[in-house]
Amino acid sequence: MRDRFVDTTTALLAEDPRTALVLADISASAFAPAAERHPDRVLNVGIREQLMVGVAGGLALTGLRPIVHTYAPFLVERAYEQIKLDLDHQDASAVLVSVGASYDRAEAGRTHLGPADVALFDTLSGWTVHAPGHPDEVPALLRATVAAEGSAYLRLSTLHNAEPHGGDGALVVVRDAGPGAALLVAVGPVLDAALDATSGLPVSVAYTHRPRPFDTAGLRALADREVILVEPYLAGTSTRVVAAALADRPHRLLALGVRREEWRRYGSATDHARWHGLDANGLRRSITDFLAPALV
């Protein structure tokens, strides 16, 4: 996904003189050719993530469309105050693009883990959030986001599904288990694991790469009584959205994602998926436990 992001951003810088890129050392070598061609619009501030977002806010106020990029915890958690003040409060828009997702770089330790990023954006107003599930989804999403006017966050990952699913982020039914089936909503790169986990179960599976704004109309059209959320970030992040959308009808909700326990382990991304119950086996255990009364 990062390679597709670099290629698409490099093309956008050449095509659109309104586009700017602000870096904090991460991926700077990949953007070196673009920086040579556009030295006034490719800015590397060094390891100063708060400054990076502040510079982006200033560029936005001059009429440019800044793309801001680094690892998720550096971009969102470390620079949250600047996102809140230099972008939101100033009514300045930018496109924030992270890599690392929740635990892609787990071998680098807790500093590189960022499962709380989408939950933090929920404390702000009006942000669009994309979590693409395949590298081929990235170019169109990035181009559409840069062409838009509002602020957006693209969450890139090394984990991905076997096939891309396009669209604008509205819920897309990938497996239809028929009337009365539970509905599982998979966000981004967890779709394949969710499909494996629900094989043979009375569960319909829908996909989205856009958790914000959440497709509540699609949810209401597809959901019956049981809803299962599988998100590649902090478990329960979208619970409030689903609960509000279905407030007028009886429903049960299971929210799966990165658990809140502090593991204090390194390991690999695969290890962390297993520890958090986000691999196919872990998801199936949670889902069958949740549906046990209906499966009897």
Side-chain angles (χ1 to χ4, degrees), residues 16-237:
D16 184 356
R18 191 176 65 111
T19 305
L21 175 67
V22 191
L23 303 170
D25 270 0
I26 300 301
S27 300
S29 59
F31 282 110
E36 185 174 350
R37 288 193 292 270
H38 313 287
D40 56 334
R41 289 187 288 121
V42 179
L43 309 175
N44 181 8
V45 302
I47 308 175
R48 299 174 179 86
E49 289 83 3
Q50 293 95 334
L51 174 62
M52 173 182 65
V53 175
V55 167
L59 293 173
L61 291 174
T62 71
L64 293 176
R65 184 65 165 158
I67 301 170
V68 189
H69 168 68
T70 187
Y71 273 87
F74 309 157
L75 178 59
V76 183
E77 295 176 326
R78 189 173 296 173
Y80 174 76
E81 184 176 18
Q82 283 67 40
I83 295 172
K84 180 179 71 175
L85 297 178
D86 296 345
L87 294 178
D88 260 27
H89 187 61
Q90 298 295 330
D91 196 22
S93 298
V95 178
L96 276 54
V97 182
S98 73
V99 291
S102 290
Y103 41 66
D104 287 356
R105 282 292 306 277
E107 67 275 12
R110 185 65 175 93
T111 56
H112 285 63
L113 306 185
D117 51 352
V118 178
L120 280 170
F121 279 107
D122 268 352
T123 67
L124 305 172
S125 61
W127 281 76
T128 297
V129 176
H130 290 288
H134 189 277
D136 287 352
E137 296 175 16
V138 173
L141 279 178
L142 181 60
R143 285 183 171 276
T145 302
V146 171
E149 296 299 325
S151 286
Y153 176 54
L154 272 68
R155 187 182 204 265
L156 308 184
S157 176
T158 59
L159 305 177
H160 60 82
N161 304 311
E163 298 180 1
H165 296 269
D168 61 359
L171 291 178
V172 176
V173 176
V174 180
R175 177 190 292 153
D176 187 352
L183 174 68
L184 184 151
V185 176
V187 178
V190 296
L191 173 62
D192 282 0
L195 287 169
D196 289 345
T198 55
S199 177
L201 297 178
V203 178
S204 295
V205 178
Y207 171 79
T208 183
H209 55 66
R210 192 199 66 205
R212 298 296 180 273
F214 197 94
D215 179 15
T216 54
L219 176 71
R220 288 181 60 82
L222 296 171
D224 186 25
R225 184 173 294 271
E226 282 93 12
V227 178
I228 303 161
L229 276 172
V230 183
E231 301 180 278
Y233 34 79
L234 200 64
T237 297

Side-chain angles (χ1 to χ4, degrees), residues 242-262:
V242 173
L246 302 178
D248 61 339
R249 64 176 72 169
H251 66 279
R252 298 172 61 230
L253 173 62
L254 173 66
L256 302 174
V258 178
R259 295 169 179 168
R260 294 174 183 266
E261 292 90 340
E262 184 64 61

